[in-house]
Structure formats: structure tokens, C-alpha cells
């Protein structure tokens, strides 16, 4: 009888009217105009990445030298680069690279960070100290410099850029997950889950993480913008996507020598990076406010 009551208590704690919570979050999000603007831009970017081959006016990797450094015109809305390639087509083609790296790197770092942070926060003691001191060592270095160091070992390329960016951002998610678990691991419903015989794995991933997922989702959303910036920085330094494939950072790097006589080469990729990062930041900030229960009272 006692076990049955404890089991019912755990179930009640972990079914807090999800529809109501999601409805309140969506209501709060809709009230935030800046967040909606960010969401609309993100949706447009995703559609551009998917439909890129259908909407690109030219082949992004092939150009004519006779058309090099052309200023924006009706034929080339964003002008052409030093090799006569259409900049608009290259920006469209580069959208899928930036989104792919940003989302994939965050997904990998988040997955590992959840596991590492959960172990550290739940078990504590020497395990916690060992894991978090290692995370602190990684955090002691500027993320971009550490990513460059990893790239020098792994080599150039988009896949290695994803690995490098993922590694340097794991500590951020591990610390958030650890702190969230520490705040509720001694709660009554968690103790009840232990009493009825749930395994540590079930307690962490079934009872604890669902109740602390909000700050993790918000940080992951904001983390995409940071990953896109790191991707652009690596591309600017020639360590990310390799020519002739288009990527906004590499376009900036290739065009920096033409700043005075053909500034459009770096202007439009720079705008693309700015708008994308701003969109994810606006949406992430709005999501944080929408998922904050204090604002719903």
C-alpha cells in the first residue's frame, strides 16, 4: 500500500499538466514581438537552406573571371566576388552550412553535457569534483582559441569544425545540467522514486531531467548563435569549410582584401551572419521569458 502511494506521488509530480504549461509558454512567447521576429527569421533561414538549390539564381561555386567584382545590379543582386561568382547564390548556399554546423554542434555538445552534468550532479562527491574540475579546465581557455587548437590537430574541414565547436561548448551544458539537478535531487518526489526501487538512470532521465529541461532548452537555443559565430570565425581563418564550398565566414576571409574597392563582397555575408545570430538570440531570450514560471504568476 505504501509503495503504491509513493508510486502515485511520483506520477503526479511528473505529469504537471503539460498542455497547460506549453499553452502558457506559447502565450507568453506570442506576447514577445522580438521573439516572434526571431522565430520568423529562423523559419525563413531553414526554408532557404532546404530550398536553396531551387532558388539560387546561379551556381554558387562557378563563376566567370570576366564578371569579377561586379557591384550589385539586376543581374547580380548582391554583386559578384573576386572569381565572378554570384554572392547571393553563395550566401543562400552557405545558409545550410551555418545552420548545419550550429545545430549539429549544439546537439552533440548538449547530449554529452547532459550525461556528464547528470552524473556529476546526481552522484556528487569525488565524481562531481573530478568531472567539474575537468570542465573548468576547458572553460579556462577562450572557446575560439581552444577550437582553433583542436582544428590544428584534427585538420581543416566542416566535420572537424563541428567536433571542435562541440568539445569546447560541452562544459556550458554540463554546468547547467549539474546545477539544475543539484537543486532538486533531494526533492520529495525524487526520494519517493528511490524508495519504490527506480534505478539511478530512470530517476535522472525520467523524473529529474524533465523537470529541469527549460533552462537547458533556452541555453541550447542561444548556443546555436554562438556556434554559428565560431563557425564563421573558423571559416574566416581558413580552418572551416574549404573552397570552393560557400560559407559566410570563409566569404568574409576571402573578401577582406577587397574592402576598399569592392566592399559588397564582405558586406552581405556580414549581414547574413548578423541577422542569423540576432534571430537566434531574440528567440532564445523570448523562450527564456516564456519558460520562466515566475512570469506566469
Amino acid at each position: 500500500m505504501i509503495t503504491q502511494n509513493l508510486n502515485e506521488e511520483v506520477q503526479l509530480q511528473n505529469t504537471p499538466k503539460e498542455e497547460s504549461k506549453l499553452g502558457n509558454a506559447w502565450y507568453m512567447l506570442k506576447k514577445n514581438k522580438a521573439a516572434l521576429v526571431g522565430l520568423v527569421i529562423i523559419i525563413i533561414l531553414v526554408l532557404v537552406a532546404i530550398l536553396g538549390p531551387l532558388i539560387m539564381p546561379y551556381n554558387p561555386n562557378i563563376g566567370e573571371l570576366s564578371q569579377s567584382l561586379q557591384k550589385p545590379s539586376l543581374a547580380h543582386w548582391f554583386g559578384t566576388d573576386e572569381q565572378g561568382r554570384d554572392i547571393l547564390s553563395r550566401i543562400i548556399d552557405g545558409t545550410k552550412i551555418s545552420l548545419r554546423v550550429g545545430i549539429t554542434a549544439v546537439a552533440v555538445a548538449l547530449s554529452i553535457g547532459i550525461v556528464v552534468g547528470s552524473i556529476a550532479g546526481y552522484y556528487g562527491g569525488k565524481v562531481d569534483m573530478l568531472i567539474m574540475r575537468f570542465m573548468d579546465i576547458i572553460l579556462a581557455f577562450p572557446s575560439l582559441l581552444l577550437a582553433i587548437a583542436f582544428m590544428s590537430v584534427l585538420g581543416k574541414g566542416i566535420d572537424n569544425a563541428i567536433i571542435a565547436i562541440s568539445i569546447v561548448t560541452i562544459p556550458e551544458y554540463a554546468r547547467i545540467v549539474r546545477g539544475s539537478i543539484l537543486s532538486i535531487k533531494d526533492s520529495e518526489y525524487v526520494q519517493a522514486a528511490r524508495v519504490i526501487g527506480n534505478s539511478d538512470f530512470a530517476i535522472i532521465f525520467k523524473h529529474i531531467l524533465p523537470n529541469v529541461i527549460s533552462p537547458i532548452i533556452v541555453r541550447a537555443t542561444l548556443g546555436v548563435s554562438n556556434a554559428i559565430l565560431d563557425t564563421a570565425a573558423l571559416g574566416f581563418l581558413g580552418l572551416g569549410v574549404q573552397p570552393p564550398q560557400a560559407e559566410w565566414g570563409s566569404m568574409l576571409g576571402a573578401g577582406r582584401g577587397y574592402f576598399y574597392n569592392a566592399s559588397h563582397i564582405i558586406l552581405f555575408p556580414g549581414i547574413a551572419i548578423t541577422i542569423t545570430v540576432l534571430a537566434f538570440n531574440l528567440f532564445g531570450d523570448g523562450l527564456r521569458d516564456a519558460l520562466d514560471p515566475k512570469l506566469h504568476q
Side-chain angles (χ1 to χ4, degrees), residues 148-291:
I148 293 174
F150 280 119
M151 291 295 292
S152 65
V153 175
L154 298 173
K156 301 177 181 179
I158 188 66
D159 293 332
N160 290 337
I162 292 175
I163 294 173
I165 295 172
S166 299
I167 293 174
V168 301
T169 53
I170 288 174
E172 299 178 18
Y173 302 105
R175 288 169 66 91
I176 293 174
V177 173
R178 172 184 176 270
S180 299
I181 289 181
L182 284 175
S183 66
I184 67 168
K185 74 172 185 177
D186 294 324
S187 301
E188 293 182 359
Y189 73 90
V190 176
Q191 295 177 5
R194 292 194 189 99
V195 171
I196 64 177
N198 280 291
S199 65
D200 291 344
F201 181 88
I203 292 173
I204 293 173
F205 290 96
K206 183 179 179 181
H207 301 299
I208 296 180
L209 284 179
N211 290 288
V212 298
I213 198 67
S214 296
I216 300 173
I217 294 175
V218 172
R219 186 63 192 87
T221 304
L222 295 171
V224 174
S225 64
N226 292 333
I228 290 174
L229 275 178
D230 288 344
T231 304
L234 293 174
F236 182 84
L237 297 172
L239 298 174
V241 175
Q242 297 302 298
Q245 196 169 16
E247 191 273 323
W248 298 337
S250 62
M251 292 173 67
L252 285 175
R256 66 182 182 273
Y258 302 92
F259 178 79
Y260 293 104
N261 60 335
S263 59
H264 65 276
I265 294 182
I266 62 175
L267 174 63
F268 293 109
I271 292 175
I273 295 171
T274 302
I275 291 176
T276 303
V277 171
L278 179 62
F280 278 100
N281 284 338
L282 289 175
F283 180 63
D285 288 339
L287 197 60
R288 178 185 56 203
D289 296 339
L291 295 174

